[in-house]
């Protein structure tokens, strides 16, 4: 029987107060409220399509802008995933997904390597805002999540026109790739690395 892969992380600064709970082996149940509507929608995609149970409650200095709220939430989320993954024994480690959303197509490839690294490419000339969400934050979210989760993420959108579709396809692809990488494989004994540690 595999151990429960759950975590609870609280992050408090002068700018934000964040609570994140994650169950990697969930059913895609989400309860998310950051005060940034489109970001909530993206976190919901991560939970739903990754089959991760995800609770996120953030209060931030939105009177300034969404940056601190989004950044600190992504950092806490990454820390929660890192804790929940534990020793990573028996997991597949690598995950990959292509996800279309109408005219947009996103590719995500992840390695739960213990080494944060991000490659992020998306079409130039996207609309700068989706509601109160600054579209330049997408890369920063992925970088912040990767840094704390200690995983390697490659996200690529070869084409797309609608900013909403371009960003959402990325979160759905990341969810699918993470779901694949976090999955247990009964043939794997111990940690899937010749180093013996991830």
């Amino acid at each position: 029987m595999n151990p429960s892969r759950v975590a609870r992380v609280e992050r408090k600064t002068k700018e934000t107060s964040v609570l994140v709970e994650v169950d990697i082996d969930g059913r895609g149940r989400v309860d998310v409220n950051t005060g940034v509507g489109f970001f909530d929608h993206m976190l919901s995609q991560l939970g739903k399509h990754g089959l991760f149970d995800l609770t996120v409650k953030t209060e931030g200095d939105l009177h300034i802008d969404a940056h601190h709220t989004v950044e600190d939430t992504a950092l806490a989320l990454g820390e929660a995933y890192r804790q929940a993954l534990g020793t990573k024994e028996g997991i597949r480690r690598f995950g990959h997904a292509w996800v279309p959303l109408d005219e947009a197509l996103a590719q995500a490839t992840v390695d739960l390597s213990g080494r944060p690294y991000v490659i992020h490419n998306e079409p130039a000339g996207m609309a700068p805002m989706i509601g109160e969400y600054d579209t330049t934050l997408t890369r920063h979210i992925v970088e912040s999540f990767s840094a704390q989760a200690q995983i390697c993420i490659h996200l690529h959108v070869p084409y797309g026109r609608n900013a909403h579709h371009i960003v959402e396809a990325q979160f759905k692809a990341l969810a699918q790739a993470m779901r694949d990488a976090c999955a247990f494989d009964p043939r794997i004994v111990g940690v899937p690395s010749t180093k013996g540690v991830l």
Side-chain angles (χ1 to χ4, degrees), residues 146-169:
S146 167
Q148 294 301 105
Q150 297 182 358
I151 61 179
C152 176
I153 302 173
H154 289 237
L155 265 176
H156 177 57
V157 182
Y159 48 82
R161 290 188 309 274
N162 181 275
H164 187 135
H165 293 169
I166 290 168
V167 176
E168 185 170 339

Side-chain angles (χ1 to χ4, degrees), residues 1 17 97 127:
M1 186 85 169
S17 176

Side-chain angles (χ1 to χ4, degrees), residues 2-7 22-25 84-86 91 182-184:
N2 294 314
S4 178
R5 297 193 294 173
V6 299
V22 64
D23 180 351
I24 288 177
D25 302 305
L85 281 167
I91 65 167
C182 291
F184 288 111

Side-chain angles (χ1 to χ4, degrees), residues 100-119:
L101 181 52
D102 295 348
E103 86 299 339
L105 180 68
Q107 175 194 42
T109 307
V110 302
D111 177 6
L112 309 186
S113 60
R115 297 183 307 279
Y117 201 91
V118 171
I119 298 292

Side-chain angles (χ1 to χ4, degrees), residues 5 85 88-96 110-112 176-188 190-193 198:
R5 297 193 294 173
L85 281 167
K88 304 178 188 171
E89 293 183 12
I91 65 167
R92 296 187 62 181
R93 175 179 169 178
F94 303 101
H96 177 79
V110 302
D111 177 6
L112 309 186
Q176 288 278 313
M178 286 288 295
R179 174 181 169 184
D180 197 22
C182 291
F184 288 111
D185 186 328
R187 296 171 297 170
I188 296 174
V191 174
S193 171
L198 287 174

Side-chain angles (χ1 to χ4, degrees), residues 78-149:
E79 175 66 19
Y81 272 84
R82 187 187 64 77
Q83 289 183 20
L85 281 167
T87 65
K88 304 178 188 171
E89 293 183 12
I91 65 167
R92 296 187 62 181
R93 175 179 169 178
F94 303 101
H96 177 79
W98 283 97
V99 170
L101 181 52
D102 295 348
E103 86 299 339
L105 180 68
Q107 175 194 42
T109 307
V110 302
D111 177 6
L112 309 186
S113 60
R115 297 183 307 279
Y117 201 91
V118 171
I119 298 292
H120 181 256
N121 299 299
E122 59 187 5
M126 271 205 312
M129 301 294 291
I130 304 170
E132 68 274 33
Y133 178 87
D134 180 345
T135 57
T136 65
L137 285 174
T138 303
R139 180 188 180 104
H140 190 52
I141 292 165
V142 176
E143 289 173 334
S144 299
F145 176 72
S146 167
Q148 294 301 105

Side-chain angles (χ1 to χ4, degrees), residues 5-12 16-24 29-34 39 43 46-47 52-59 69-84 145 148:
R5 297 193 294 173
V6 299
R8 176 188 172 97
V9 169
E10 293 185 68
R11 176 183 173 89
K12 293 183 184 293
T16 63
S17 176
V18 184
L19 166 67
V20 172
E21 296 174 340
V22 64
D23 180 351
I24 288 177
R29 294 171 290 213
V30 295
D31 182 11
V32 175
N33 186 358
T34 68
F39 186 45
L43 293 176
L46 188 67
F52 307 121
D53 289 346
L54 186 59
T55 298
V56 179
K57 302 295 179 188
T58 303
E59 294 181 4
T69 295
V70 168
E71 176 183 58
D72 286 358
T73 301
L75 290 168
L77 185 66
E79 175 66 19
Y81 272 84
R82 187 187 64 77
Q83 289 183 20
F145 176 72
Q148 294 301 105

